[in-house]
Amino acid sequence: MQKININTNWLYTPQNINDGHTINLNEAEFEKVCIPHANKILEAHKGEDFNDHIASYRFISWYRRHFKLDSSYTGKRVAIEFEAVATVADVYVNGCYVGGHKGAYTPFTLDITKYVKFDGSDNVIAVKVDSTQRRDLPPEGHQVDYLLFGGIVRDVYMIISNLLYVEWTYMTTPELDTCSGRLNAQAKIVNSSNIDVDCAVETKLVDANKVLVLAMTTQCDTVAAGSALVCEQLSNPIANIHLWSIKSPYLYTVVTSIIVDGEIIDEYETIIGFRFFEFKNEPHDAGFYLNNEKIKINGINRHEQWPWIGRAVPSKLQIADADLIKSTGINAVRASHYPQKTEFIKRCDEIGLLVFAEPPGWQHIGDKQWQDYFAYNLEELIIRDRNHPSIISWGVRPNEAPTSGDEDRANKDFFENTNALARRLDPTRPTHGSRVEFLYEQSDLFTEDIYTVNYRYPNKPKFTPFIITEHTMSWGKQGMANATDTMAMQWIDDWAKSLDYIYENNLVAGGFGWSMFDYNNEVNYTKTGHVFPSGLYDIFRHDKPVAWLYRSQKAQSDETVLYIANYWTQESPSRVLVLSNCEEVELFVGDDSRGRITANRYMNLPYPVYEFIGIEFNAMADLKAVGYIAGLPVKETVRKTPCVAAKLVVKPDYDVLVADGADMTCVTVSVVDAAGTRLPYADNNVTIAITGPGKFIGQSTIGLEGGRVGFIVQSKLNKTGIIKCTVTTVSTVTSHGVITGECTITVHAP
């Protein structure tokens, strides 16, 4: 089987043309684009009029792609896989309707073999993309606390295989303990030919070093023409298994081969991990155990969203998000509130990040048709992701729906059906369904395996296992990028209180904070320009002080963390918080020590918080912290008072791009003083311009947020060279003469 990425060389029109599917269409007005592609790049990333920007991507558009297949492909199966189209797709090949899909977050594959020409002449795929508001489909039907965006927002693949092929595999690991277990391998074999076929299925398990661990072959029943069957194989016990864990995420590859008359005619690879877990439900211990080790779930919620373009980003940005979550000291992520891109989940497998996976939904349950689509999206999610060792639970309710006890009971059949569906498709994982906080006291219905609720902190939960799927609700100015020291430290306190409760209570398996990143939403109930400021990081992935509360919980063996949560300005309070995993911290104002102490706040945390009182601001002295382990100084950090703005610093996340038309990097602009200290409250406008083989995504004039802001640079197809980004101030920060900032990005051939 060949799986070929066909993200390049697409044609696009934002017009709902009547003949978009026809073969000989005049494409002169079409734009050349690459996938992932946003049907509309928004003109702003926030604003009180942001509903107008949301409305601007609610339209029907067309995508087309030409390709050729020569006679060597005759007799092969040709299929097209779309990872996600927002929101409804209708697909045509050579003018003929092939099929469609409803739902903005799940993949679909269409067999186009009978519509394709194999004589080397032109073929054309045409996709009608309906990105209008679809109240008949999850998560819509009511207001939604996030944005769906529009377009072909994830990768597209052409799949070439024999007519007898593997459609999916499902791997489980029964009888697993700390040293041995078995592999149970299921493979769906499809015969799309017009003759019956006898075949065998061979399964090989290969470890991370490419060493063969086991091989087993089973003769299948005859696969009738135009039908399918599931072949199941159970291995003998496998000794010396290397278990997958959050500290050692060891992965194996399973190679499934179809053999006919001694010849391999199809191969399918599946990445798996051997691990076992349970949510213990004992009177004094209702915790989560992975491979017999108790782990407190210290998680975060993540929206798959970037400014201006939504979800239409290359895989490396998805991977970078997973890496940032892990490096922040977090061990679990809730995919809120929809199936997220496969590459993000794969990366969670690779780095040992636990995942709560969910279908799309938010505070709404629609009619029977809506519920059927929700169940179908859930089925697509589970079949796509059930081989990922990082996933430990399936969400089976729309997030925070319903919102009253009467509605909860009225939807009992719906919840029982979604639970039954998840358990049938994957009996190895528990289910959960996140309830709104004020439903907790009314709740008398518990159909899931894990009781999950948002923003409730009971001393003794009504039901166990118990997890808080969203905690820390004090959003608003505290979470803004330009929050004052007083507000930022109050927000740290709020997060620390939630974590302190979670770590103290043995009946709480863990919790997920809201949220990892700021994000655009429809409802704007924080009145912050439709950017919800709930993140540990802002929408540009810039850290806020509260992110260091999580970083400071990392093991000393992973990283020594020492952070002063105080910008040391005239407005700073006399209270200083230091976030650290050291054993002691000493604080200095200049050369004057203000005490060497052990941590004294939120004492249930693995590494509690250091609080210093009575530290008055001194503009003539720096604020310095020194961290000690085993009595010895191991790290120090200094806060200098931000002075007069001197220059703009422009730094890309990646300084090399590939000229495939889809690769991109985020770029950060910061204003700093002569010593390199960022001005944390600067909000003046800057002007951004780029030259060279790149596409600018952002706002050419944009205001700094907390002394920094971001934009995106994307490569152009087959255009190589040097991109130069230049940023200047529109108005001064505190003085004239701020030096212009520049950076360069190299674009090389794919």
Side-chain angles (χ1 to χ4, degrees):
M1 178 184 293
Q2 292 177 276
K3 188 172 182 178
I4 305 164
N5 184 293
I6 56 168
N7 282 349
T8 58
N9 298 314
W10 286 81
L11 300 171
Y12 168 74
T13 177
Q15 307 300 319
N16 182 17
I17 54 179
N18 293 326
D19 53 354
H21 64 288
T22 57
I23 298 176
N24 298 316
L25 181 67
N26 183 349
E27 298 169 336
E29 300 301 317
F30 278 63
E31 176 189 358
K32 294 180 179 180
V33 301
C34 294
I35 308 298
H37 180 260
N39 68 342
K40 175 69 182 292
I41 296 176
L42 303 186
E43 296 177 2
H45 76 288
K46 67 176 185 178
E48 294 308 317
D49 63 345
F50 199 71
N51 278 327
D52 295 338
H53 298 282
I54 297 170
S56 72
Y57 67 74
R58 300 283 197 177
F59 59 86
I60 296 173
S61 57
W62 282 87
Y63 293 80
R64 291 168 63 90
R65 192 186 193 281
H66 295 263
F67 66 100
K68 295 178 181 180
L69 295 174
D70 60 33
S71 59
S72 66
Y73 290 94
T74 302
K76 300 288 188 180
R77 170 183 175 263
V78 182
I80 299 294
E81 177 186 318
F82 295 85
E83 284 195 338
V85 176
T87 296
V88 176
D90 288 302
V91 181
Y92 301 79
V93 174
N94 294 332
C96 299
Y97 181 71
V98 176
H101 182 265
K102 295 182 177 181
Y105 300 96
T106 46
F108 63 100
T109 301
L110 299 172
D111 188 331
I112 64 172
T113 309
K114 67 180 182 181
Y115 304 98
V116 173
K117 295 175 287 185
F118 295 96
D119 57 3
S121 61
D122 186 55
N123 295 284
V124 61
I125 304 166
V127 187
K128 180 183 179 182
V129 178
D130 182 354
S131 304
T132 62
Q133 190 173 53
R134 293 297 300 256
R135 294 184 175 274
D136 57 324
L137 300 175
E140 298 192 279
H142 190 53
Q143 64 182 7
V144 181
D145 181 45
Y146 49 91
L147 304 185
L148 280 74
F149 295 94
I152 302 180
V153 295
R154 294 182 186 159
D155 297 342
V156 184
Y157 295 92
M158 180 173 288
I159 299 171
I160 309 293
S161 69
N162 282 298
L163 299 181
L164 186 70
Y165 63 94
V166 179
E167 182 175 300
W168 53 250
T169 62
Y170 175 37
M171 306 294 167
T172 57
T173 56
E175 302 176 34
L176 183 61
D177 58 28
T178 55
C179 59
S180 68
R182 296 187 178 206
L183 174 67
N184 189 83
Q186 295 182 31
K188 183 177 180 182
I189 312 300
V190 178
N191 181 4
S192 61
S193 74
N194 56 9
I195 59 172
D196 299 347
V197 180
D198 294 328
C199 69
V201 173
E202 180 185 62
T203 299
K204 293 181 179 179
L205 180 67
V206 181
D207 69 12
N209 298 313
K210 308 302 181 185
V211 175
L212 180 65
V213 177
L214 72 85
M216 50 185 175
T217 303
T218 300
Q219 185 67 37
C220 290
D221 296 331
T222 299
V223 188
S227 68
L229 60 78
V230 175
C231 177
E232 185 168 6
Q233 299 166 298
L234 178 63
S235 76
N236 292 324
I238 308 166
N240 302 317
I241 289 175
H242 194 144
L243 296 179
W244 183 96
S245 69
I246 60 176
K247 296 177 182 177
S248 178
Y250 197 92
L251 297 172
Y252 290 81
T253 301
V254 180
V255 181
T256 304
S257 303
I258 302 177
I259 301 172
V260 176
D261 296 331
E263 179 185 355
I264 295 176
I265 65 166
D266 193 40
E267 281 192 340
Y268 189 100
E269 289 193 356
T270 309
I271 307 299
I272 68 166
F274 286 85
R275 88 284 184 268
F276 58 96
F277 67 88
E278 64 176 322
F279 288 86
K280 286 190 177 180
N281 200 15
E282 300 172 0
H284 303 291
D285 184 2
F288 173 73
Y289 286 76
L290 178 63
N291 305 330
N292 288 336
E293 177 188 359
K294 185 175 183 180
I295 295 174
K296 186 70 78 168
I297 293 174
N298 180 19
I300 202 74
N301 286 267
R302 183 246 186 183
H303 269 309
E304 183 185 87
Q305 191 186 111
W306 282 260
W308 303 295
I309 52 174
R311 300 184 285 132
V313 302
S315 294
K316 75 178 187 183
L317 268 63
Q318 303 276 356
I319 291 168
D321 267 11
D323 289 344
L324 183 56
I325 293 170
K326 182 75 173 183
S327 68
T328 302
I330 292 163
N331 63 21
V333 59
R334 178 175 171 229
S336 328
H337 309 287
Y338 41 80
Q340 303 195 0
K341 187 171 170 63
T342 301
E343 278 69 19
F344 177 79
I345 307 300
K346 286 180 180 176
R347 189 58 176 168
C348 293
D349 293 340
E350 294 168 353
I351 62 179
L353 192 60
L354 304 172
V355 178
F356 266 39
E358 298 181 344
W362 195 79
Q363 289 191 354
H364 173 71
I365 296 174
D367 59 16
K368 178 62 167 57
Q369 177 179 279
W370 189 101
Q371 293 177 27
D372 288 344
Y373 282 125
F374 180 88
Y376 184 63
N377 288 164
L378 175 61
E379 180 175 355
E380 291 176 309
L381 165 65
I382 294 174
I383 291 174
R384 186 193 77 168
D385 286 349
R386 59 189 173 180
N387 291 315
H388 291 284
S390 58
I391 294 178
I392 59 171
S393 182
W394 301 117
V396 293
R397 287 177 175 233
N399 177 67
E400 294 189 337
T403 56
S404 75
D406 289 342
E407 292 175 341
D408 199 26
R409 288 181 285 274
N411 287 285
K412 181 174 181 292
D413 290 346
F414 172 54
F415 299 142
E416 288 181 344
N417 289 338
T418 56
N419 272 277
L421 174 64
R423 290 164 183 153
R424 175 177 61 81
L425 293 171
D426 179 21
T428 72
R429 290 181 177 88
T431 61
H432 72 274
S434 298
R435 292 161 172 79
V436 70
E437 64 272 15
F438 39 82
L439 185 58
Y440 175 78
E441 297 296 343
Q442 306 174 44
S443 182
D444 54 14
L445 180 68
F446 180 23
T447 49
E448 293 81 38
D449 299 308
I450 307 169
Y451 189 87
T452 52
V453 67
N454 298 340
Y455 309 110
R456 292 305 296 261
Y457 315 91
N459 290 328
K460 185 177 181 180
K462 292 179 65 174
F463 303 102
T464 55
F466 178 83
I467 288 179
I468 307 170
T469 32
E470 296 175 22
H471 69 70
T472 312
M473 192 192 277
S474 53
W475 320 301
K477 291 184 178 180
Q478 299 97 319
M480 300 290 283
N482 62 351
T484 65
D485 279 343
T486 299
M487 290 189 295
M489 284 192 286
Q490 179 58 55
W491 211 37
I492 291 171
D493 285 328
D494 293 340
W495 283 80
K497 289 174 186 175
S498 298
L499 292 177
D500 197 64
Y501 159 82
I502 289 167
Y503 276 102
E504 179 186 24
N505 196 320
N506 282 332
L507 297 179
V508 178
F512 295 86
W514 190 266
S515 57
M516 184 65 184
F517 305 112
D518 294 353
Y519 61 97
N520 292 125
N521 64 2
E522 291 185 5
V523 292
N524 197 32
Y525 42 76
T526 55
K527 305 302 180 185
T528 49
H530 292 268
V531 172
F532 197 34
S534 59
L536 304 179
Y537 296 80
D538 70 17
I539 198 169
F540 305 107
R541 277 58 177 169
H542 301 146
D543 65 306
K544 303 176 190 176
V546 70
W548 292 87
L549 173 67
Y550 277 83
R551 286 185 175 270
S552 68
Q553 304 310 303
K554 298 169 73 171
Q556 293 173 350
S557 58
D558 293 337
E559 180 186 358
T560 303
V561 179
L562 184 67
Y563 178 85
I564 301 173
N566 186 304
Y567 289 128
W568 201 234
T569 69
Q570 187 71 47
E571 292 76 24
S572 297
S574 60
R575 177 183 184 232
V576 174
L577 295 182
V578 178
L579 309 173
S580 179
N581 57 2
C582 294
E583 294 171 358
E584 296 176 293
V585 168
E586 187 172 11
L587 191 69
F588 294 84
V589 177
D591 295 327
D592 181 17
S593 174
R594 297 304 177 87
R596 176 172 163 179
I597 65 173
T598 57
N600 54 5
R601 295 295 306 274
Y602 312 110
M603 301 305 293
N604 294 300
L605 297 182
Y607 295 98
V609 173
Y610 293 84
E611 181 183 54
F612 293 85
I613 302 296
I615 311 298
E616 299 298 334
F617 172 71
N618 181 349
M620 305 303 294
D622 296 338
L623 187 65
K624 181 176 74 173
V626 179
Y628 295 81
I629 296 176
L632 299 175
V634 294
K635 190 166 188 175
E636 70 174 49
T637 186
V638 176
R639 281 286 190 188
K640 294 181 177 293
T641 299
C643 297
V644 175
K647 61 181 178 179
L648 294 169
V649 176
V650 185
K651 183 176 176 55
D653 291 346
Y654 304 91
D655 57 11
V656 176
L657 298 179
V658 177
D660 62 0
D663 198 10
M664 63 175 58
T665 181
C666 299
V667 183
T668 296
V669 180
S670 304
V671 61
V672 301
D673 64 15
T677 300
R678 176 170 56 90
L679 278 63
Y681 307 125
D683 61 358
N684 63 299
N685 288 339
V686 295
T687 302
I688 304 165
I690 74 169
T691 58
K695 178 180 180 180
F696 172 76
I697 298 174
Q699 293 159 237
S700 57
T701 299
I702 191 170
L704 297 171
E705 301 174 14
R708 57 190 171 187
V709 76
F711 61 94
I712 296 170
V713 174
Q714 187 171 42
S715 68
K716 293 181 178 180
L717 183 61
N718 297 325
K719 302 293 185 181
T720 61
I722 303 296
I723 300 170
K724 183 178 180 181
C725 307
T726 304
V727 184
T728 57
T729 54
V730 173
S731 58
T732 58
V733 183
T734 56
S735 72
H736 296 287
V738 177
I739 298 173
T740 295
E742 295 181 346
C743 75
T744 58
I745 300 166
T746 302
V747 186
H748 63 71

